[in-house]
């Protein structure tokens, strides 16, 4: 018989963590702006990461060892320490992106139990968020290679909708393990010849020294590509390609294939019933994904704020066209990054989710009116600024759109490019969202819907003309941020 008193043990260990005496480790986080004290024995026995780190660090004159983890936020590391000491993780009121970042941090510190719990939690309860932020999730989990359940979750989506990855701008930066995991799938819904094209594209992108013109390639160039693709090539279904596909697509790169494989491919085309020495993989299965005509669902609107007509108008402004685009020739896709009613209205959410995205449109629905206002930023948003900073661009603009009682749209291009867009410092992002000179979003309550913190200047500073007839501050009922991507033909 054994008596267990884990709750009291957890409480006492948390008290030890909070006790600022007898510590012998200092961990600095968040660009060394925050620090935590801890005890080496606790860290070593709870995390193999800390065991290795502490063994390689010399103590100072006070017998204290220092660890620097600049990229970890203080909020996340505090939860990590609470788990290490007390086995408690409080996720109440935490946004999904925070939980996701916490999982990545737990993996970095080799806290397998916590990592697995958070991975399962995200899959079972946050599937919608994972799908919405698919590109972010997919690239980060394969760079770590420790999230097998999330890898399977994502690949189950990619095999049905391969364009999510293969047509993405970041395709050539895809981790090799991610690409191989897809090539292994029998249910990848792509023509085999297109899979081959993408594999070649990815392989060439990994080596910048390869000549642009294939006719200029040397034997060494082909050997380089073969080495790069050695994990990918065995998973191509060569024996299910047509003769035209083999001649047009495979034959130009035959030197990256083993001689026996190339011989067997040609023999199979001429005498398909004769056995070959190479392994013949099964054909990829084709899933029936199309609904019969009577069961087809109407296309969901891409935005809850603007229409396709508005998108055509914004596209016209981006390209500075005198002739407006119509619904049949809009050259851009509006790819949703953030929606307030889905992702929340905290200003920090904007900076977290839009960081790194360029060519974006911010759209705002004003509370109590029919107004739709917004701004276009061709530059990449950056949430890492230590200080506030004006960003220079001649291509940004702000606008209001025709809607309801609003008779005409208003376009206001930047007048002084040096003060076009204002990037908020990290410390102020809790209250401030995007700012386009004369138009900004702010909330002292950290929720754009709870106070009248948004404004558009009547006395213009950065842009050509005001976009609202009223100079009053306002609240919003929703906002969206779209990445503007030129369509491929």
């Amino acid at each position: 018989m054994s008596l267990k008193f884990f709750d009291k043990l957890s409480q006492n260990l948390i008290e030890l963590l909070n006790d600022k005496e007898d510590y012998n480790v200092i961990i600095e986080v968040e660009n060394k702006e925050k620090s935590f004290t801890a005890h080496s024995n606790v860290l070593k026995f709870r995390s193999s990461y800390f065991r290795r780190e502490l063994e390689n660090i010399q103590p100072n004159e006070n017998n204290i060892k220092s660890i620097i983890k600049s990229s970890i936020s203080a909020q996340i590391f505090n939860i990590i320490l609470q788990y290490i000491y007390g086995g408690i993780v409080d996720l109440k009121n935490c946004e999904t992106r925070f939980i996701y970042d916490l999982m990545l941090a737990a993996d970095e510190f080799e806290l397998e139990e916590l990592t697995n719990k958070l991975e399962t939690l995200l899959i079972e309860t946050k599937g919608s968020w994972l799908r919405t932020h698919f590109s972010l999730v997919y690239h980060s989990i394969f760079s770590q290679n420790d999230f097998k359940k999330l890898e399977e979750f994502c690949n189950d989506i990619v095999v049905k909708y391969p364009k999510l990855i293969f047509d993405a701008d970041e395709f050539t930066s895809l981790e090799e393990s991610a690409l191989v995991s897809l090539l292994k799938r029998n249910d990848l819904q792509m023509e085999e010849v297109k899979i081959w094209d993408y594999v070649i594209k990815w392989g060439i992108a990994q080596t910048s020294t390869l000549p642009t013109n294939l006719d200029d390639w040397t034997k060494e160039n082909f050997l380089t590509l073969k080495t790069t693709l050695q994990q990918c090539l065995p998973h191509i279904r060569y024996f299910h390609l047509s003769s035209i596909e083999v001649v047009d697509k495979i034959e130009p790169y035959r030197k990256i294939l083993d001689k026996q494989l190339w011989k067997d491919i040609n023999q199979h085309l001429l005498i398909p019933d004769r056995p070959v020495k190479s392994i013949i993989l099964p054909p990829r299965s084709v899933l029936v994904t199309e609904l019969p005509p009577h069961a087809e669902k109407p296309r969901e609107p891409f935005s809850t704020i603007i229409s396709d007509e508005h998108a055509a108008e914004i596209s016209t402004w981006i390209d500075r066209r005198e002739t407006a685009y119509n619904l049949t020739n809009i050259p851009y896709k509006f790819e949703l990054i953030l929606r307030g009613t889905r992702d929340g209205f905290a200003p920090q959410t904007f900076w977290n989710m839009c960081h790194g995205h360029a060519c974006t449109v911010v759209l705002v629905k004003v509370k109590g009116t029919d107004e739709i206002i917004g701004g276009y930023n061709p530059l990449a948003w950056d949430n890492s600024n230590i200080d506030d900073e004006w960003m220079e661009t001649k291509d940004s603009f702000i606008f209001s759109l025709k809607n309801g009682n609003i008779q005409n749209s208003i376009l206001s291009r930047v007048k002084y490019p040096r003060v076009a867009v204002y990037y908020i410092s990290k410390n102020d992002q809790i209250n401030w969202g995007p700012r386009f000179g004369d138009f900004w979003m702010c909330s002292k309550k950290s929720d754009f819907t709870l106070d009248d913190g948004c404004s558009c200047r009547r006395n213009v500073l950065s842009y050509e003309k005001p976009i609202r007839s009223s100079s009053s501050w306002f609240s919003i009922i929703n906002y969206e941020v779209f990445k503007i991507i030129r369509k491929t033909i």
Side-chain angles (χ1 to χ4, degrees):
M1 178 180 180
S2 62
L3 302 177
K4 298 180 181 181
F5 303 96
F6 292 139
D7 289 345
K8 185 63 176 177
L9 174 62
S10 174
Q11 178 185 337
N12 291 153
L13 286 170
I14 292 294
E15 291 170 355
L16 173 65
L17 172 63
N18 295 330
D19 185 0
K20 297 307 177 183
E21 297 182 4
D22 299 326
Y23 66 86
N24 63 347
V25 179
I26 295 177
I27 304 104
E28 296 182 81
V29 301
E30 213 167 278
N31 295 320
K32 299 186 181 181
E33 293 182 8
K34 304 285 185 181
S35 64
F36 294 84
T37 58
H39 307 80
S40 59
N41 283 337
V42 177
L43 296 178
K44 286 193 299 184
F45 284 99
R46 291 284 282 157
S47 165
S48 55
Y49 169 87
F50 280 115
R51 178 179 292 276
R52 290 195 308 274
E53 285 289 305
L54 291 168
E55 286 176 352
N56 296 322
I57 297 174
Q58 292 298 319
N60 63 14
E61 63 275 8
N62 297 318
N63 201 36
I64 293 176
K65 296 185 177 184
S66 295
I67 297 175
I68 298 174
K69 295 297 294 181
S70 296
S71 61
I72 301 293
S73 76
Q75 189 177 2
I76 283 180
F77 193 72
N78 181 56
I79 292 182
I80 292 289
L81 281 182
Q82 296 286 326
Y83 166 76
I84 288 176
Y85 275 75
I88 295 174
V89 175
D90 183 5
L91 299 177
K92 185 178 180 181
N93 298 324
C94 288
E95 294 184 356
T96 305
R97 176 58 189 266
F98 181 87
I99 297 173
Y100 182 77
D101 289 341
L102 177 62
M103 180 193 70
L104 297 181
D107 179 67
E108 183 177 352
F109 291 116
E110 298 177 20
L111 303 171
E112 184 177 353
E113 177 189 46
L114 178 57
T115 303
N116 289 338
K117 287 286 186 182
L118 293 174
E119 184 181 18
T120 300
L121 174 69
L122 286 167
I123 292 172
E124 292 181 352
T125 67
K126 306 294 182 181
S128 177
W129 185 92
L130 293 172
R131 294 182 184 93
T132 302
H133 302 84
F134 189 84
S135 181
L136 163 74
V137 173
Y138 199 79
H139 284 267
S140 59
I141 61 171
F142 278 99
S143 65
Q144 310 263 358
N145 205 30
D146 292 328
F147 304 105
K148 298 305 179 184
K149 287 178 286 187
L150 270 173
E151 289 178 11
E152 184 177 357
F153 174 89
C154 289
N155 276 346
D156 284 345
I157 296 173
V158 176
V159 295
K160 296 179 182 177
Y161 309 102
K163 289 184 178 181
L164 285 171
I165 293 300
F166 288 90
D167 286 352
D169 294 338
E170 306 87 358
F171 169 71
T172 53
S173 62
L174 193 66
E175 292 288 333
E176 181 184 50
S177 59
L179 180 57
V180 172
S181 71
L182 288 172
L183 297 178
K184 288 180 177 179
R185 295 283 296 249
N186 290 333
D187 52 350
L188 178 57
Q189 299 297 288
M190 288 180 67
E191 295 177 45
E192 200 66 32
V193 68
K194 290 184 178 179
I195 295 174
W196 169 264
D197 286 340
Y198 279 111
V199 167
I200 295 297
K201 176 182 177 181
W202 182 88
I204 292 174
Q206 309 313 304
T207 310
S208 59
T209 58
L210 293 175
T212 303
N213 190 341
L214 189 62
D215 293 335
D216 297 330
W217 281 33
T218 64
K219 181 179 180 181
E220 288 72 24
N221 293 145
F222 284 103
L223 181 59
T224 297
L225 183 61
K226 180 178 182 178
T227 302
T228 301
L229 294 177
Q230 59 183 327
Q231 300 299 321
C232 301
L233 295 176
H235 305 292
I236 300 295
R237 316 302 163 95
Y238 302 99
F239 297 95
H240 302 287
L241 295 169
S242 68
S243 56
I244 293 177
E245 291 168 343
V246 169
V247 170
D248 290 348
K249 299 293 186 176
I250 309 297
E251 196 273 339
Y253 294 95
R254 67 186 183 280
K255 293 179 182 178
I256 71 172
L257 303 180
D258 291 337
K259 291 182 178 180
Q260 184 63 50
L261 174 59
W262 178 240
K263 178 180 178 180
D264 287 343
I265 291 172
N266 283 282
Q267 176 186 306
H268 183 74
L269 291 175
L270 295 172
I271 316 173
D273 294 331
R274 177 173 293 181
V276 296
K277 295 181 180 180
S278 302
I279 296 174
I280 298 181
L281 297 174
R284 301 188 196 271
S285 58
V286 178
L287 303 178
V288 179
T289 57
E290 294 186 0
L291 296 173
H294 64 275
E296 288 183 1
K297 296 181 179 179
R299 180 175 70 91
E300 293 185 4
F302 72 97
S303 170
T304 60
I305 297 179
I306 65 170
S307 64
D308 290 325
E309 288 80 3
H310 288 137
E313 189 169 33
I314 294 170
S315 299
T316 300
W317 294 338
I318 291 173
D319 285 352
R320 298 177 179 267
R321 280 171 57 103
E322 294 183 3
T323 304
Y325 287 120
N326 56 45
L327 299 186
T328 63
N329 67 349
I330 300 175
Y332 298 108
K333 295 186 295 183
F334 282 57
E335 183 178 277
L336 184 67
I337 301 173
L338 183 159
R339 175 173 290 144
T341 53
R342 184 193 68 191
D343 303 305
F345 293 92
Q348 188 67 62
T349 300
F350 168 82
W351 293 104
N352 290 346
M353 296 183 64
C354 297
H355 174 73
H357 289 290
C359 301
T360 56
V361 168
V362 178
L363 297 163
V364 171
K365 191 71 176 289
V366 178
K367 185 177 181 179
T369 73
D370 285 323
E371 291 173 287
I372 299 173
I373 60 177
Y376 171 71
N377 179 16
L379 308 176
W381 295 103
D382 187 352
N383 67 3
S384 64
N385 282 19
I386 302 301
D387 300 310
D388 295 343
E389 182 181 5
W390 282 107
M391 305 301 294
E392 181 176 354
T393 173
K394 61 180 175 36
D395 293 321
S396 66
F397 55 84
I398 57 177
F399 55 86
S400 64
L401 296 174
K402 178 180 179 181
N403 185 55
N405 295 326
I406 313 302
Q407 298 300 313
N408 297 295
S409 297
I410 299 174
L411 166 65
S412 181
R413 295 195 180 277
V414 65
K415 182 168 61 173
Y416 298 111
R418 291 186 178 179
V419 288
V421 187
Y422 197 61
Y423 284 5
I424 308 299
S425 68
K426 293 176 64 175
N427 290 337
D428 292 332
Q429 289 169 11
I430 189 173
N431 297 127
W432 286 86
R435 178 175 179 181
F436 296 83
D438 302 334
F439 158 50
W440 62 84
M441 298 175 66
C442 180
S443 171
K444 298 302 181 184
K445 297 182 179 179
S446 294
D447 187 320
F448 296 129
T449 65
L450 296 182
D451 55 3
D452 296 333
C454 302
S455 180
C456 295
R457 291 179 185 269
R458 285 285 296 150
N459 53 331
V460 294
L461 171 67
S462 305
Y463 289 78
E464 293 174 337
K465 53 190 171 184
I467 58 174
R468 294 189 78 215
S469 58
S470 170
S471 60
S472 61
W473 297 68
F474 58 89
S475 179
I476 70 172
I477 59 174
N478 196 13
Y479 84 115
E480 296 174 330
V481 182
F482 290 93
K483 184 178 180 70
I484 309 303
I485 302 174
R486 185 169 289 278
K487 297 176 181 177
T488 56
I489 300 175

